[in-house]
Amino acid sequence: MTAPPARPRAGPIVGPGGPGRTGAGVAIFLVSLVVAVATILTVAAGGDAREWSARLRDPITIAVWASGLESADAAAARAADVAGGVDGVRAVRTIDATPIDAVVARIMGAPTRDPAEIRLLSIDTAADASAVAARVEGALHAGGVPARIDDHSWRSSAGLHAAAAAIACAAALGLVAVLFIWLACGRLTRREMTTRQTTLELMRISGASDGFVTGLFARRTIVLAIAAAVLGTAAGAVIAGAWNHYGPASVFDALRPLARADLAWILPWPLVAGVIAALASHLAARSTLRAVP
Amino acid sequence: MSTTRDATASAEIDAEAQPAPCVRFDGVSLRRDGDGAVLRDLSFAIAPGSFHSLIGPAGSGKTSVLRLICLAETPSRGVVQIFGRDAAALRRPQRALMRRRIGAVFQPSAFIEHLSVRDNASLGPRVVGRKPADYESDVEELLAWTSLADKADAPPAVLSTAEKQRLALARAVANRPDILLVDEPAAGLDAASAQRVLRLLRDLHRAGTTVILASRDADLAARSGYPVLQLQEGRASLVDAPALETAR
């Protein structure tokens, strides 16, 4: 006796494709790519900043640079002599040179980005750092030493201002990305429902609950958002990695080399995109359904 | 000899002899933007297990009555009671549950074109969350009953008008509704096909389903032999089918 032939599985109630899906998918892909690259940069920069924080532990940092026939080391030695004689200065240390010093010096206002022409010094103070910094700056200026001074205070520190600006930019980019995905997913869900009025009406008169219909359309948007976010994030990681290893002189040159752990920070993004897509599409579907009895 | 009775009065007489009506309209009016008044102060009641034909010319509001019964619209004024409950007072989840007890076939019959005939017929059980194993055999029976078994895997686009009408009927009854609403069952059908649909509706009525059939075709209503609710300019009067036939 032969078994009856297996019945084909029921097809999806909402058919494949639909207007706006490709556009929304591409947009989410691109946003995810930007988010991935920005996240990798932020994580790498954050790691560097933590290293800098450990090295720049004294209250004042001085950046000096080569000028004319004077080398960076000579300028650093001269700056140490001048600063050491200022009232309130307890000790002056030359910080071991690393390539990332150029970024710190650049943020502080040094005119060069060549690590070979930059030296950083740190000053320990016996009095109020801001007052001592002002006196050291005056002395260096009077001595003709090309230098910039940072007293690590929120009021005047260019380094802290740059860090705050970077954090604000990263947060703003994250918010824009979240908002964009929210709007794209909500719009896509509404559009899909609007163009499938017959299917909606048939489901409604067949007794489908709002939850069933909402889930049906929201699932499509969530799957699209997650797929586009996974692809965009992977593309972003590949681009950042390739840039880091093979690219021309770039911001990565100043940062420490990317680690695999840095890439781990972008892994949650597709999940985040999926959660945003779920919330946005559910709300959009519910509001669309509530427009009819 | 007058062949019509006031619908409200008739409903009261019916209510004395029969259980509580499953559909009751009390002073129902329906206005639509652009169309003006579609229904005016309409009152009638339909007992469970009955078979009523709703007749009237195009634009008299037949389809609107069916849409009000299946909770696809809300009246501008008056009360629509379904299974004893005021439709306006139902919350959305309750409306969905109520719709599961009401099957509807509207014109033109619309289907989900990318699904097969079988999948279209099983839409009802599927959207209310029943598992395929629970409804597959029912759907096969329905397809056999409507003579569509041999086209179960075909898309609806290949069906004839009569077959589409039968598919719409199969889909409407797949959830075993207590009330079946059928709009223009003979539209586009030849006499034999229309009779066949009418036979199917009689089968359902015999099985205990309340059938409300809306049609422009007074002949069809007269042939059904059941009470006829005549809609004229948004108002209703109840006519006995034999009387309707005599009047013709």
Side-chain angles (χ1 to χ4, degrees), chain A residues 66-171:
Chain A
S67 177
L69 294 175
E70 189 177 46
S71 68
D73 285 332
R78 208 150 57 86
D81 279 347
V82 171
V86 173
D87 185 33
V89 172
R90 184 179 288 154
V92 182
R93 302 182 186 93
T94 304
I95 300 171
D96 295 338
T98 68
I100 58 171
D101 292 349
V103 176
V104 180
R106 185 85 178 145
I107 290 169
M108 289 169 66
T112 177
R113 59 193 312 167
D114 181 356
E117 294 185 356
I118 295 291
R119 291 293 178 273
L120 297 182
L121 296 94
S122 70
I123 295 177
D124 190 13
T125 60
D128 172 50
S130 294
V132 173
R135 287 199 292 274
V136 170
E137 189 170 26
L140 291 172
H141 186 69
V145 180
R148 286 280 189 278
I149 292 190
D150 193 319
D151 64 358
H152 304 181
S153 76
W154 277 109
R155 190 172 54 80
S156 57
S157 168
L160 289 180
H161 291 171
I167 291 168
C169 283

Side-chain angles (χ1 to χ4, degrees), chain A residues 7-16 198-199 201-210 212 289-293, chain B residues 67 72-74 92 95-96 99-100 102 106 110-112 114-115 118-119 123-124 126-128 136 140 153 171 175:
Chain A
R7 193 164 293 143
R9 215 176 142 206
I13 293 174
V14 180
T198 302
T199 304
E201 176 80 356
L202 289 176
M203 284 196 286
R204 250 162 37 82
I205 64 170
S206 298
S209 64
D210 284 0
F212 180 87
L289 279 179
R290 279 169 196 277
V292 290
Chain B
R67 288 182 63 81
E73 288 199 53
T74 46
R92 289 185 72 85
R95 293 172 84 84
R99 282 193 194 106
R100 293 174 192 183
I102 304 166
F106 285 106
F111 302 99
I112 300 177
H114 66 270
L115 292 182
R118 178 187 286 112
D119 288 348
L123 183 68
R126 202 171 157 189
V127 301
V128 303
E136 275 175 352
E140 293 306 318
D153 296 318
R171 181 181 61 201
N175 270 340

Side-chain angles (χ1 to χ4, degrees), chain A:
Chain A
M1 195 175 108
T2 56
R7 193 164 293 143
R9 215 176 142 206
I13 293 174
V14 180
R21 282 185 75 77
T22 307
V26 169
I28 294 170
F29 170 86
L30 291 175
V31 166
S32 300
L33 190 152
V34 171
V35 165
V37 171
T39 303
I40 291 168
L41 281 175
T42 305
V43 169
D48 286 335
R50 279 193 295 280
E51 286 177 19
W52 297 341
S53 307
R55 295 171 67 223
L56 308 180
R57 61 185 183 280
D58 286 335
I60 296 172
T61 302
I62 304 174
V64 293
W65 56 88
S67 177
L69 294 175
E70 189 177 46
S71 68
D73 285 332
R78 208 150 57 86
D81 279 347
V82 171
V86 173
D87 185 33
V89 172
R90 184 179 288 154
V92 182
R93 302 182 186 93
T94 304
I95 300 171
D96 295 338
T98 68
I100 58 171
D101 292 349
V103 176
V104 180
R106 185 85 178 145
I107 290 169
M108 289 169 66
T112 177
R113 59 193 312 167
D114 181 356
E117 294 185 356
I118 295 291
R119 291 293 178 273
L120 297 182
L121 296 94
S122 70
I123 295 177
D124 190 13
T125 60
D128 172 50
S130 294
V132 173
R135 287 199 292 274
V136 170
E137 189 170 26
L140 291 172
H141 186 69
V145 180
R148 286 280 189 278
I149 292 190
D150 193 319
D151 64 358
H152 304 181
S153 76
W154 277 109
R155 190 172 54 80
S156 57
S157 168
L160 289 180
H161 291 171
I167 291 168
C169 283
L173 180 67
L175 276 177
V176 167
V178 165
L179 188 65
F180 180 88
I181 290 182
W182 179 280
L183 293 175
C185 291
R187 186 169 181 271
L188 176 65
T189 304
R190 269 190 296 274
R191 196 167 174 193
E192 292 219 290
M193 293 178 79
T194 309
T195 54
R196 287 181 167 87
Q197 284 296 330
T198 302
T199 304
L200 268 183
E201 176 80 356
L202 289 176
M203 284 196 286
R204 250 162 37 82
I205 64 170
S206 298
S209 64
D210 284 0
F212 180 87
V213 178
T214 299
L216 208 60
F217 282 93
R219 258 197 305 280
R220 286 168 57 81
T221 306
I222 294 166
V223 168
L224 177 80
I226 290 178
V230 165
L231 292 175
T233 303
V238 168
I239 288 171
W243 192 3
N244 185 37
H245 286 289
Y246 309 112
S250 68
V251 67
F252 281 113
D253 293 346
L255 304 176
R256 69 197 164 88
L258 283 182
R260 283 191 184 162
D262 294 344
L263 299 180
W265 286 86
I266 61 174
L267 291 180
W269 172 251
L271 192 64
V272 171
V275 170
I276 298 163
L279 291 172
S281 54
H282 267 96
L283 287 176
R286 279 178 59 180
S287 69
T288 307
L289 279 179
R290 279 169 196 277
V292 290

